[in-house]
Amino acid sequence: MDVGNGTENSGTVGVQIQLRRRLPDFLQSVKLKYVKLGYHYLVSNLITLCLVPIMLIIIIEASQKNPDDIRQLWLHLQYNLVSVIICSAFIVFGSTVYIMTRPRPVYLVDYSCYRAPENLKAPFHLFMERSRLTGDFDDSSLEFQRKILVRSGLGEDTYVPEAMHFIPPRPSMQAAREEAQQVMFGSLDNLFANTNVKPKDIGILVVNCSLFNPTPSLSAIIVNKYKLRGNILSFNLGGMGCSAGVIAVDLAKDLLQVHRKTYAVVVSTENITQNWYFGNKKSMLIPNCLFRVGGSAVLLSNKSADRRRAKYKLVHVVRTHKGADDNAFRCVYQEQDDARKTGVSLSKDLMAIAGGALKTNITTLGPLVLPVSEQLLFFSTLILRTLFKMKMRPYIPNFNLAFNHFCIHAGGRAVIDELEKNLQLLPVHVEASRMTLHRFGNTSSSSIWYELAYTEAKGRMRKGHRVWQIAFGSGFKCNSAVWEALQNVKPSRNCPWKDCIDRYPVNCIS
């Protein structure tokens, strides 16, 4: 070892003396993480810890009572019969009101994610070759798309619709209908097969697709295909972006609070066929490189009998809308370029706007899910910074204490990177999002379900685990859904990862 100009031996001695003169590093010697764990345990179980000595005192006092004391207590109650009846009536009335007005639990019985046929795969070289042969892109745009692909986090096995495999492409209304039908029917066929639920049993249908809204609607196409009953409550959500899947779940949840013993199906997809951009505006070329074919179908139920077979119970849905701000409203915007070619433009401020929406969302969600210990730390830091003007970093709550798994919308590598950094997550927490982006690309509102399927396929979902689904979308919106596993969840029969899960995780960071 060589330090400065001294010899190896003198350098070693110098370092030893310097180390001996330093004070002990208490931050390293004291296991602060265990101190913090002890603090969390103490605060989270404070009520229980206080009740234990009270119960012990009551038990000791009761054990010291003799038969005469018990007889006197009984006589006292007899002479105050009116008070006993009134108290009992209040208890019964209060219990009845609570039972009748409490929210009905919503169970996720099962879900299915669509996997396109192998002939629709679009490896990078094929994507670039087809883009070049269209003749619509100049050299600068082709090079831009190549760089986006390399840095995107996508792999070589993602899918584009059949119309994009022709030279030249054939983006017609009929082709768009066929893509929508293949995705929706493929997801629903698997869902009905996995759950043994008949289409006639479905009482609520919610379909969301942002960019393709034909007449009759996509929900009507499903009703016609499966001959759903005439009094079905069907809804078609359009133009609501990649976070519409959580919005659709929230709508189904509200409807299940009103209609008893009902099944609800939520279908989430996006349509690419008629929404491919054939121009040279850089901000509108990015969606071409990220969006891929995909979709999901989710079966929800409010039937108590379904709890035994359901995978999850819906705990919370929190929705944040920043559309009142003009910059947020236009950060993801469908428009025509100077050559009158239609596409979706992404603003350079997108990540900053998404960060602000996320901050608002987790400020609402935090008190609902975080343990009391984390909330005390957060609010005490906030008070010190705002009221007492103390210069200290804002406290970022440890969401690992509230959630076991994270399903972050696979909108792109930058989105996942930012959330991993800002929420102080570990690589394993964002693994499902990164691998979904690598294997299936950005499938819009359905990506959070591919991520949940990944976690199940890895065998990581245990009873009592909580899952946080986070989605971002145009408008601008940030929406969250929290689920609790009701069993040790195994992957469904038609899991999209069933024949490739052993190859993951892969290193997709270039």
Side-chain angles (χ1 to χ4, degrees), residues 29-42:
S29 59
V30 178
K31 302 294 185 181
L32 287 180
K33 66 177 182 178
Y34 295 116
V35 174
K36 191 173 182 180
L37 283 174
Y39 161 73
H40 287 308
Y41 182 82
L42 175 64

Side-chain angles (χ1 to χ4, degrees), residues 242 291 407-412 415-416 433 442-445 447-448 451 470-473:
C242 299
F291 281 88
C407 295
I408 301 167
H409 166 53
V415 175
I416 301 171
S433 301
N442 181 350
T443 61
S444 189
S445 57
S447 68
I448 53 178
E451 294 163 21
I470 317 169
F472 301 90

Side-chain angles (χ1 to χ4, degrees), residues 20 49 59 85 99 103 118 133 137 142 178 184 201 205 245 282 291 304 315 379 386 396 405 417:
R20 286 172 183 169
L49 294 174
I59 293 172
I85 293 175
I99 293 172
E118 298 300 294
L133 291 175
F137 306 108
L142 289 171
E178 290 175 358
M184 296 189 304
D201 296 332
L205 173 65
K282 299 294 192 296
F291 281 88
S304 56
V315 182
F379 285 113
T386 55
I396 300 176
H405 308 284
D417 287 345

